[in-house]
């Protein structure tokens, strides 16, 4: 490129600039207007509509119902509740079966086999008691609910219901200064927060996009339901008669999910009043026509594709975490292992806010993947409470045959209903998993926002747990 | 990915002329971009041709990143790009920028604009904008089944004539019209079909004069540039990417198509 | 274990203290930061802007005007001007204080950042109109040139700020303001006074007595052979053409408000149809572009289809698609009754 050429180009750009002063600001308007004029001309020539259309009014009828003043929200909650209920009820049995196979049957076999080959005990421990068991647990706990939830969710998505949710909820989002499409990204977050955060690209306004990114973590992702479902079943379902247990636990999980939505609204409001000051910007959302979903194809793609994909990720993270768990439980300093050191050290604070040291340690180990929180908690509880005769020994992650056993362990570890409730709250309000944090960084390209979206939920989690614990104790005493 | 081969044998696919290559995009001969308004079935067409499982969903904005896949048809290997849906190429949200940048700088050999047959007018907005940038484009008139159900009829021949580019009616979800689409892609990339795209006519007087004035200068600087008018418009709108492209001379790559293509392949 | 009541009280006290400390805009931290704002950099930059402004308006700056502008004492101002002189940014002679070319380009850089930031606030943040200027006054001192350029690029290199003033280019160019005599402005048009001719003095003092200064905005009400009636800053004013010719204005594009004549889209009830006439100029930037891309252009037929709770948002059928629009935006879209001929 010669200097002459460069000069010519700079001149060209400069002359464009001068012209811009002259023609003023309306250029975009006139371009679009003239394009649309041409488009209308062509369309008028080639499109013919033969008298009116029945199908169309069918669409409108559904729309009238699902967006109506009185029925809109109830239908939404009902659908949400049904989806969770079906997931909880349906996942129970297959979960047990898989656990039976992978943990109760296969695990001892593998262990014996390795032992018989003569490999040192610690390799056996790290690989089989750590990595393998973590993976087995993740599969048995996650596969069934995901294989139910994803297809259900995809059916709703394919039908065209999600944009209607956004339409119904926009009123709330506008009032807190957020974008209406945040409702869409939030529902995506119910599947996976990282996916929800990438989906925020549909939000034009940078301010509102950051709000949507920060608050996406308040959508319970699928890595956190197993925790919610299990704890709800033990501590809340356990407190009511058996025939109500399923319903009541589903209701508890739905309430946590709704609480998440409320928190996301509150935080959005707080942000748009302070660091991300501003009113809600324009919102325009196309409501697509309803399309009958193709059930078989949906089942196939959502199970094979989404479920396997998410599961794969969980397994990949569970294996190293399993190894870490085994190590903290078996490497000792001054006679006690690392886990116990940590638990003793954090217990005073943790108990004060209604949690315990075990939970805190579990959440640190589970930063890569939320899925493994509960197995870690169980394993550590056994370790600390020194319960004999359960599991397969110290530092082994296991699945217990019945919820009753799990419940017995937790109660023996000093858990109360308060601990259960607070664990559910803390599972809603804590830092996003490492993949999500990385995604936030990639999408915002800002360390500041990444740190804020990581720290903010933890602070909120501790604050909420603290208040719940104190109020609980006040009322109980 | 299990049923990848299932449909290969069925007659709709021109007796095996189409080979879905999944994510295999080695040594491709041509690049095909899928553009279009949101929710018109781009990802469905993409999955159909590559055998991949790009997520589809019935709401605008499902795809927000660019996806790539490969297929082989009539001995030619293609790289297919699924782009996020856009209403226009003039706005600036992240997903739309991805689409625009690819059509502009990715230098696809042909851009297939997937169009919702039930809402032709609003979709033509984008088609006309694409035609300002490139003259190798095909309109894929998708969702014909829905148009039929709503008693909407479209005169495809008139549309082809008016737009100056081929128009192929399809029902991507039901695999209808895909073989014809492939045939047309083949015809365009091999030069059997030459497009003479429609160009936008009027706009305000002051603007037209400014555009002509500037386009003249651009043509002097970059002789042979096919879309000088469009570049002028973008400069007048202050589009930084285009300003940079003019400054670096990259904009003339649109003329020296082949040279750029090699560069792009190595990127 | 700590008594829960006690713990709660402590927690409330703590959050109270934190709130007092960090409450946005009013908290101690925010106040402290605001107070620290008057650093020497800010003072220097504000002085240069003031000098540039006066130069543009052909008014002579004085030490007092600078002191008034910065709200600091005259002694401090003298020191400040000396400092500026030693930096080569201003010169002072018997004629008064003058800005040097270096100082001018510095001032233009600040003005560029100021106007860019206003544009940014207007287009992309939905900060209230009344706050644009104030926020930009702060921001202009803290943004680096690189950041400003990145911002400009991202916004499509705007050339006007939201008030219609030109944004100087990176190299400090601003379009020549070719003023025209007030007499040439047509009825109903807007202009901004850029120059009040000070010769002959008799006419000048008359104009000053009328309170006409550069920077004021005028709107012509009507022109007759021997007098011109116009509105300036909300007050009506009458001048003879001889006098008016000594006031130079630049025509500005003030939106011809179409509000009064047309209804807005938000007034459309479920099931009603109307034709779009235009979008208010108050809807700018990406929001405006987005609406137009969706087909909200003059002549489009729209039908209200669905209403969300509280009639906000409402979904309209626009060119075949159902599109939900918030009331705030629907307010800015003007419509007229639809008639059959209109359709073709
Ligand atoms: N009835 C019918 N539905 C179709 C057809 N093609 C696609 N669809 C459906 O239309 C919806 C949108 O399809 P996608 O392929 O996700 O659309 P897209 O253009 O990729 O959308 P974005 O990624 O949001 O831009 C899905 O629910 C598809 O199943 C068709 O020919 N007929
Ligand atoms: Mg897509």
């Amino acid at each position: 490129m010669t200097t002459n050429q460069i000069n010519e180009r700079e001149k060209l750009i400069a002359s464009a600039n001068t012209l811009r002063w002259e023609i003023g600001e309306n250029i975009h308007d006139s371009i679009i207007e003239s394009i649309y004029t041409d488009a209308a001309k062509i369309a008028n020539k080639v499109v013919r509509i033969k008298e009116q259309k029945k199908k169309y009014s069918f669409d409108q009828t559904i729309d009238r119902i699902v967006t109506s003043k009185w029925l809109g929200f109830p239908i939404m909650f009902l659908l949400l509740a049904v989806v969770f209920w079906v997931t909880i009820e349906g996942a129970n049995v297959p979960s047990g079966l898989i656990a039976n196979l992978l943990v109760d049957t296969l695990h001892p076999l593998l262990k014996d086999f390795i032992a018989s080959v003569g490999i040192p005990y610690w390799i056996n421990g790290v690989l089989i008691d750590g990595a393998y068991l973590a993976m087995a647990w993740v599969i048995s706990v996650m596969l069934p609910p995901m294989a139910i939830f994803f297809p259900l969710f995809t059916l709703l998505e394919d039908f065209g219901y999600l944009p209607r949710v956004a339409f119904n909820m926009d009123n709330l989002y506008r009032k807190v200064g957020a974008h209406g499409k945040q409702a869409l990204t939030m529902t995506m977050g119910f599947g996976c927060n990282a996916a929800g955060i990438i989906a925020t690209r549909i939000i034009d306004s940078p301010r509102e996009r950051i709000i949507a990114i920060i608050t996406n973590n308040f959508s319970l992702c699928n890595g956190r339901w197993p925790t919610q479902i299990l704890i709800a079943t033990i501590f809340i379902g356990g407190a009511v008669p058996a025939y109500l247990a399923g319903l009541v636990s589903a209701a508890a999980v739905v309430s946590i999910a709704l609480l998440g939505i409320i928190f996301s609204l509150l935080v959005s409001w707080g942000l748009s009043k302070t660091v991300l000051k501003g009113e809600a910007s324009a919102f325009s959302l196309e409501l697509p026509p309803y399309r009958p979903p193709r059930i078989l194809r949906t089942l196939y793609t959502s199970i094979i594709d989404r479920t396997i994909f998410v599961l794969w990720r969980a397994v990949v993270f569970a294996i190293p975490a399993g190894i870490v768990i085994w190590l903290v439980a078996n490497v000792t300093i001054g006679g006690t292992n690392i886990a116990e050191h940590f638990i003793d050290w954090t217990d005073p604070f943790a108990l004060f806010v209604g949690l315990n040291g075990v939970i805190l340690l579990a959440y640190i180990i589970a930063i890569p993947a939320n899925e493994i929180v509960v197995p870690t908690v169980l394993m550590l509880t056994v370790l600390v409470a020194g319960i004999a005769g359960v599991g397969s020994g110290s530092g082994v992650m296991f699945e217990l045959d019945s919820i009753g056993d799990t419940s017995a362990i937790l109660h023996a570890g000093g858990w109360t209903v308060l601990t259960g409730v607070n664990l559910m709250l803390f599972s809603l309000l804590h830092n996003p998993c490492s993949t999500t944090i990385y995604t936030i960084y990639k999408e915002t390209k800002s360390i500041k926002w990444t740190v804020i979206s990581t720290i903010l939920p933890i602070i909120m989690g501790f604050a909420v747990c603290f208040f719940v614990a104190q109020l609980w104790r006040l009322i109980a005493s | 990915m299990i049923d990848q081969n299932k449909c290969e044998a069925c007659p709709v696919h021109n007796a095996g002329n189409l080979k879905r290559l999944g994510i295999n995009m080695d040594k491709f001969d041509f690049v095909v971009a899928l553009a279009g308004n949101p929710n018109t079935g781009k990802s469905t067409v993409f999955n159909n041709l590559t055998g991949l499982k790009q997520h589809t969903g019935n709401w605008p904005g499902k795809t927000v990143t660019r996806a790539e896949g490969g297929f082989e048809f009539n001995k030619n290997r293609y790289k297919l790009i699924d782009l996020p849906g856009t209403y226009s190429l003039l706005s600036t949200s992240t997903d739309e920028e991805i689409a625009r940048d690819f059509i502009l700088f990715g230098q696809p050999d042909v851009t297939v604009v997937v169009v919702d047959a039930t809402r032709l007018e609003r979709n033509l907005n984008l088609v006309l904008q694409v035609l300002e940038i490139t003259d190798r484009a095909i309109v894929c008139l998708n969702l014909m089944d829905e148009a039929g159900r709503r008693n909407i009829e479209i005169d495809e021949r008139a549309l082809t004539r008016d737009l100056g580019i081929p128009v192929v009616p399809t029902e991507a979800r039901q695999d209808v019209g895909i073989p014809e689409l492939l045939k047309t892609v083949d015809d365009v990339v091999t030069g059997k079909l030459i497009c003479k795209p429609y160009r936008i006519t009027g706009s305000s007087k002051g603007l037209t004069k400014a555009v002509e004035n500037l386009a003249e200068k651009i043509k002097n600087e970059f002789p042979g540039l096919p879309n000088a008018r469009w570049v002028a418009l973008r400069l007048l709108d202050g589009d930084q990417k285009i300003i940079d492209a003019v400054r670096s001379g990259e904009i003339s790559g649109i003329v020296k198509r082949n040279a750029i293509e090699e560069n792009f392949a190595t990127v | 274990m700590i008594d829960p009541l006690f713990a709660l009280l402590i927690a409330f006290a703590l959050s109270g203290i934190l709130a007092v400390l960090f409450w946005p805009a009013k908290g101690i931290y925010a106040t402290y930061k605001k107070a620290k704002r008057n650093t020497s950099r800010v003072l220097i930059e504000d002085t240069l802007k003031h000098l540039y402004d006066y130069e543009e308006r052909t008014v002579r700056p004085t030490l007092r005007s600078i002191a008034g502008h910065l709200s600091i004492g005259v002694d401090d101002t003298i020191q400040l001007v000396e400092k500026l002189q030693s930096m080569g940014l201003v010169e002072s002679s018997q004629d008064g204080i003058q800005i040097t070319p270096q100082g001018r380009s510095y001032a233009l850089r600040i003005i560029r950042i100021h106007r860019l930031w206003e544009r940014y606030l207007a287009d992309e943040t939905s900060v209230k109109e009344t706050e644009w200027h104030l926020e930009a006054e702060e921001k202009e001192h803290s943004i680096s040139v690189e950041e400003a350029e990145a911002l400009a690029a991202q916004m499509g290199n705007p050339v006007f700020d939201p008030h219609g003033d030109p944004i100087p280019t990176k190299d400090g160019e601003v379009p020549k303001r070719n003023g025209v005599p007030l007499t040439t402005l047509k009825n109903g048009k807007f202009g901004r006074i850029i120059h009040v001719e000070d010769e002959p003095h008799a006419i000048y003092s008359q104009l000053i007595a009328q309170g006409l200064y550069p920077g004021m905005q005028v709107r012509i009400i009507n022109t007759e052979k021997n007098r011109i009636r116009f509105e300036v800053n909300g007050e009506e004013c009458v001048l003879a053409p001889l006098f008016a010719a000594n006031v130079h204005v630049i025509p500005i594009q003030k939106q011809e408000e179409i509000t009064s004549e047309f209804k807005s889209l938000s007034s459309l009830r479920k099931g009603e149809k109307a034709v779009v006439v235009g979008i208010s100029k108050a809807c700018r930037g990406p929001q405006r572009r987005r609406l137009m891309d969706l087909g909200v252009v003059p002549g489009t037929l729209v039908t209200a289809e669905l209403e969300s709770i509280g009639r906000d948002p409402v979904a309209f059928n626009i060119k075949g698609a159902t599109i939900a629009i918030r009331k705030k935006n629907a307010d800015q879209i003007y419509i007229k009754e639809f008639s059959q001929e209109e359709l073709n």
Side-chain angles (χ1 to χ4, degrees):
Chain A
M1 218 180 339
T2 63
T3 25
N4 188 22
Q5 242 176 343
I6 296 176
N7 278 339
E8 282 304 312
R9 285 174 192 163
E10 289 303 330
K11 250 193 250 163
L12 188 68
I13 293 165
S15 73
N17 234 348
T18 333
L19 282 171
R20 292 180 73 199
W21 302 112
E22 285 167 21
I23 48 180
E25 294 182 86
N26 293 332
I27 166 161
H28 189 269
D29 284 25
S30 33
I31 298 173
I32 286 284
E33 276 168 31
S34 69
I35 296 177
Y36 261 119
T37 314
D38 288 11
K41 218 167 57 199
I42 297 176
N44 276 340
K45 248 198 289 183
V46 302
V47 180
R48 244 191 47 225
I49 303 175
K50 299 184 296 185
E51 66 23 88
Q52 274 313 341
K53 45 227 171 162
K54 233 176 35 239
K55 156 90 179 148
Y56 194 49
S57 59
F58 169 69
D59 265 32
Q60 285 190 328
T61 315
I62 303 184
D63 265 340
R64 291 247 163 82
I65 297 169
V66 300
T67 64
S68 81
K69 220 187 240 164
W70 304 113
L71 290 176
F73 273 84
I75 290 179
M76 240 163 58
F77 294 139
L78 203 70
L79 277 173
L80 191 66
V82 166
V83 167
F84 279 119
W85 183 71
V86 171
T87 309
I88 289 175
E89 288 285 325
N92 237 337
V93 176
S95 259
L97 289 179
I98 297 176
N100 229 320
L101 175 73
L102 292 183
V103 181
D104 296 348
T105 319
L106 228 53
H107 176 239
L109 284 181
L110 269 176
K111 213 168 159 157
D112 289 350
F113 170 73
I114 299 247
S116 69
V117 187
I119 284 171
Y121 96 98
W122 59 270
I123 293 190
N124 199 341
V126 167
L127 288 185
I128 304 303
D129 292 345
Y132 170 77
L133 268 184
M135 188 194 74
W137 204 91
V138 164
I139 292 180
S140 61
V141 158
M142 290 193 59
L143 181 61
M146 277 192 323
I148 298 174
F149 178 82
F150 275 142
L152 286 180
F153 189 79
T154 315
L155 285 180
L156 282 182
E157 185 182 339
D158 269 352
F159 182 54
Y161 182 65
L162 294 191
R164 273 76 186 179
V165 172
F167 183 69
N168 282 339
M169 297 197 46
D170 179 58
N171 212 331
L172 296 172
Y173 282 97
R174 177 175 43 80
K175 284 188 183 135
V176 300
H179 200 280
K181 287 183 185 167
Q182 195 173 317
L184 280 177
T185 60
M186 186 198 71
T187 39
M188 291 285 107
F190 279 136
C192 166
N193 291 143
I197 280 158
I198 294 178
T200 59
R201 290 184 183 188
I202 57 175
I203 296 175
D204 301 335
S205 141
R207 181 188 80 89
E208 280 137 63
R209 184 162 173 228
I210 292 196
I211 293 182
I213 288 177
I214 294 176
T215 55
N216 198 273
N217 187 38
F218 299 120
S219 301
L220 274 184
C221 69
N222 63 52
R224 294 185 262 174
W225 299 329
T227 316
Q228 298 287 348
I229 293 171
L230 190 75
I231 301 297
T233 316
I234 292 176
F235 288 97
I236 299 182
V240 296
Y243 66 94
L244 280 178
L247 267 183
V248 171
S249 345
V253 177
V254 172
S255 327
I256 294 284
L258 288 185
L259 198 65
I261 298 177
I262 293 172
F263 274 121
S264 92
L265 288 169
L266 278 179
V267 171
S268 304
W269 177 80
L271 288 171
S272 27
K273 284 279 169 268
T274 56
V275 268
L276 287 164
K277 212 154 155 192
E279 289 166 60
S281 72
F283 156 76
S284 43
L285 174 71
E286 191 177 336
L287 303 175
Y290 291 104
R291 296 190 167 124
R294 286 174 313 159
I295 297 179
L296 286 181
R297 175 77 73 98
T298 305
L299 278 180
Y300 173 80
T301 39
S302 51
I303 292 181
I304 295 303
D305 237 52
R306 279 178 134 186
T307 308
I308 299 294
F309 172 78
V310 175
L311 196 66
W312 174 241
R313 190 189 87 87
V315 167
V316 165
F317 281 115
I319 290 174
I323 296 174
V324 170
I325 294 174
W326 193 87
L327 288 177
V328 293
N330 286 280
V331 175
T332 57
I333 299 170
T336 23
N337 59 45
I338 300 176
E340 254 175 292
H341 276 302
F342 180 88
I343 292 166
D344 287 344
W345 177 60
T346 50
D347 246 354
F349 168 73
L351 288 175
F352 173 56
V353 298
L355 295 166
N356 58 41
V358 171
I359 296 176
L360 295 191
L361 180 56
Y363 269 101
I364 291 174
I365 294 175
I367 285 177
N370 283 297
E371 293 80 0
I372 55 172
V373 165
V374 168
T376 315
V377 163
L378 284 178
M379 185 274 287
L380 292 171
T381 307
V382 171
L383 189 76
V384 175
I387 305 164
V390 266
S392 329
S394 121
V396 178
M397 214 171 12
F398 48 81
E399 164 76 346
L400 294 137
D401 289 350
S402 72
I403 294 204
D405 285 351
T406 315
S407 157
I409 290 189
L410 291 180
H411 281 112
W415 285 52
T416 60
V417 181
L418 171 64
T419 326
V421 169
N422 267 0
L423 175 56
M424 285 174 79
L425 288 170
F426 195 70
S427 151
L428 174 70
L429 300 169
H430 69 278
N431 58 292
C433 72
S434 55
T435 316
T436 308
I437 296 176
Y438 179 60
T439 312
I440 295 174
Y441 178 70
K442 264 200 328 208
E443 292 295 311
T444 59
K445 296 196 187 66
S446 142
I447 291 182
K448 177 177 145 199
W449 295 121
T450 313
V451 170
I452 289 184
S453 8
T454 310
I455 304 288
L456 186 73
I458 305 185
I459 296 175
M460 288 177 58
F462 281 125
V464 167
C465 286
F466 165 80
F467 280 110
V468 170
Q470 307 316 318
L471 287 176
W472 189 284
R473 284 172 194 150
L474 258 187
I475 292 165
S477 64
Chain B
M1 274 142 256
I2 289 167
D3 72 345
Q4 225 175 77
N5 303 316
K6 199 179 76 193
C7 222
E8 216 131 88
C10 53
V12 269
H13 281 296
N14 277 3
N17 266 352
L18 168 69
K19 202 143 125 229
R20 291 162 175 166
L21 299 173
I23 52 166
N24 177 1
M25 288 165 281
D26 302 341
K27 297 196 241 90
F28 57 88
D29 306 301
F30 299 107
V31 179
V32 179
L34 283 172
N37 278 32
N39 206 31
T40 52
K42 293 175 297 299
S43 302
T44 313
V45 172
F46 177 86
N47 290 346
N48 219 314
L49 293 179
T50 59
L52 289 172
K53 294 282 182 320
Q54 176 74 354
H55 290 181
T56 63
N58 189 11
W59 55 284
K62 180 70 203 182
T63 310
V64 286
T65 50
R66 177 178 120 188
E68 305 183 348
F71 67 91
E72 193 181 307
F73 181 76
N74 267 356
K75 310 254 155 43
N76 284 324
R77 290 168 77 89
Y78 290 86
K79 181 157 111 176
L80 186 65
I81 320 286
D82 183 23
L83 295 170
T86 63
Y87 290 102
S88 153
L89 298 176
L90 305 167
S91 290
T92 42
S93 71
T94 318
D95 47 347
E96 300 199 326
E97 211 166 289
I98 292 172
R100 195 205 68 171
D101 286 355
F102 190 81
I103 300 175
L104 195 59
F105 301 112
Q107 297 297 311
D109 292 283
V110 50
T111 306
V112 175
V113 189
V114 182
V115 158
D116 180 346
T118 62
R119 297 142 175 206
L120 188 63
E121 183 184 341
R122 61 165 43 252
N123 280 254
L124 281 179
N125 173 30
L126 182 73
V127 175
L128 293 180
Q129 289 184 28
V130 170
L131 292 187
E132 285 286 309
I133 303 179
T134 167
D135 42 12
R136 297 217 227 168
I138 298 172
V139 165
C140 165
L141 203 52
N142 194 30
L143 296 154
M144 283 305 278
D145 52 330
E146 281 191 9
R149 242 175 287 144
R150 295 194 187 171
N151 287 329
I152 297 173
E153 270 181 7
I154 293 174
D155 183 348
E156 296 128 32
R157 306 226 337 250
L159 189 58
T160 305
R161 209 172 43 234
D162 279 356
L163 291 177
I165 54 167
V167 174
V168 187
T170 59
E171 294 165 25
R173 205 158 89 157
Q174 288 77 15
D175 295 354
V176 175
I178 301 296
E180 289 79 6
L181 180 64
L182 281 168
K183 177 82 178 40
T184 315
V185 169
D186 187 65
D187 285 350
V188 171
V189 293
T190 53
K192 264 187 236 148
L193 258 178
I194 307 283
C195 309
K196 291 192 199 68
Y198 179 92
R199 290 284 152 93
I200 302 160
T201 50
S203 47
S204 79
K205 250 193 228 135
L207 183 59
T208 314
K209 246 179 45 206
V211 169
E212 271 163 18
N213 182 332
L214 199 59
E216 205 46 51
K217 288 185 187 154
I218 293 170
K219 275 203 190 119
N220 281 341
E221 180 60 29
F222 305 103
L225 196 69
N227 46 10
R229 238 168 51 115
W230 189 82
V231 174
L233 264 180
R234 294 317 295 154
L235 285 182
L236 289 177
D237 214 3
D239 189 321
Q240 186 65 37
K241 282 248 168 64
I242 305 293
I243 294 176
D244 290 344
V246 166
R247 189 167 280 145
S248 69
E250 198 191 336
I251 204 88
S252 61
I254 294 171
V255 197
K256 299 175 210 125
R257 168 181 294 277
N258 292 327
I260 285 276
E261 222 160 66
E262 272 160 26
N263 285 340
F264 205 79
T266 55
V267 170
Chain C
M1 179 120 320
I2 305 161
D3 179 26
L5 201 58
F6 178 67
L8 277 178
L9 285 178
I10 296 279
F12 281 123
L14 260 178
S15 20
I17 293 171
L18 283 178
V20 170
L21 277 176
F22 293 109
W23 199 265
K26 294 198 188 71
I28 291 176
Y29 177 70
T31 324
Y32 167 75
K33 250 182 84 175
K34 227 182 275 165
K36 251 192 78 176
R37 199 184 84 88
N38 263 356
T39 55
S40 66
R41 173 174 168 188
V42 175
L43 288 175
I44 287 173
E45 294 182 351
D46 282 347
T47 312
L48 289 174
K49 262 177 36 181
H50 174 75
L51 295 177
Y52 175 78
D53 185 37
Y54 267 41
E55 187 188 60
E56 278 290 282
R57 291 164 31 180
T58 56
V59 183
R60 275 204 193 116
T62 59
L63 276 179
R64 181 145 307 152
S65 77
I66 297 174
H69 181 72
L70 302 176
S71 32
I72 55 174
V74 174
D75 290 345
D76 290 340
T77 313
I78 293 172
Q79 271 182 12
L80 185 65
V81 170
E82 272 167 7
K83 190 165 164 195
L84 284 169
Q85 245 173 317
S86 68
M87 291 163 83
L89 298 171
V90 305
E91 284 164 357
S92 61
S93 57
Q94 308 99 309
D95 291 346
I97 305 161
Q98 250 159 9
I99 193 163
T100 64
Q102 270 153 298
R104 195 173 301 123
S105 90
Y106 193 157
L108 279 166
R109 214 156 59 222
I110 304 301
I111 291 172
R112 173 172 168 81
I113 296 177
H114 179 101
R115 294 190 177 158
L116 274 174
W117 193 256
E118 284 189 328
R119 181 92 243 175
Y120 168 72
L121 293 175
D123 284 4
E124 312 213 354
T125 63
S126 51
V127 168
K128 286 210 193 76
E129 188 157 353
T130 46
E131 284 169 33
W132 296 340
H133 181 73
L134 294 177
E135 285 204 17
E137 280 287 292
E138 305 235 325
K139 247 328 197 240
E140 65 189 17
H141 305 298
S142 59
I143 300 189
S144 71
V145 175
E146 292 76 34
E147 282 169 326
E149 289 322 312
L151 187 73
Q154 179 230 321
M155 288 192 295
N157 301 297
V159 286
F160 293 102
D161 78 357
H163 309 294
D165 288 320
I167 299 174
T169 63
K170 196 164 53 182
D171 313 318
E173 276 173 63
V174 240
K176 264 257 159 35
R177 296 189 178 200
N178 296 322
V180 293
L182 184 59
T183 41
T184 57
L185 222 54
K186 297 257 161 37
N187 285 355
K189 291 287 181 223
F190 289 88
R192 179 174 292 128
I193 302 177
I194 54 159
H195 182 70
V196 180
E197 185 59 50
D198 53 2
E199 292 285 315
H201 192 73
I203 292 183
Y204 180 66
S205 51
Q206 171 86 37
L207 293 174
I208 294 304
Q210 289 264 13
L212 297 175
Y213 290 104
M216 286 181 152
Q217 195 171 299
V218 297
R219 184 176 72 91
I220 305 294
I221 299 172
N222 83 28
T223 41
E224 283 162 22
K225 218 163 162 199
N226 45 15
R227 58 185 206 147
I228 295 172
R229 273 203 310 141
F230 57 97
E231 194 188 288
V232 59
N233 281 10
E235 281 175 38
E236 203 179 304
C237 202
V238 181
L239 280 181
L242 179 64
F243 286 70
N246 274 9
V247 177
H248 288 210
V249 295
I250 40 161
I252 52 173
Q253 279 186 348
K254 198 57 200 288
Q255 56 261 38
E256 293 110 53
E257 285 292 342
I258 30 180
T259 10
S260 47
E261 289 168 59
F262 297 103
K263 286 202 279 187
S264 70
L265 187 57
S266 52
S267 68
L268 214 59
R269 299 282 136 173
K270 205 152 129 182
E272 290 177 348
K273 289 176 202 286
V275 171
V276 174
V277 223
I279 305 178
S280 152
K281 285 277 190 283
C283 176
R284 326 183 153 73
Q287 308 190 20
R288 182 185 188 85
R289 270 182 256 160
R290 176 51 48 123
L291 281 176
M292 300 200 79
D293 288 343
L294 284 170
V296 183
V297 291
T300 301
L301 178 69
V302 289
T303 316
E305 270 188 355
L306 294 172
E307 289 173 356
S308 184
I309 296 143
R311 298 203 351 108
D312 188 5
V314 173
F316 299 94
N317 188 308
I318 301 171
K319 293 192 195 287
T322 310
I323 290 167
I325 298 178
R326 281 181 176 166
K327 180 167 182 304
K328 191 181 124 205
N329 303 106
D331 281 341
Q332 295 171 330
I333 299 171
Y334 299 125
I335 52 168
K336 66 178 178 200
E337 229 157 87
F338 123 92
S339 60
Q340 209 57 47
E341 316 92 75
E342 203 75 42
L343 270 185
N344 312 310

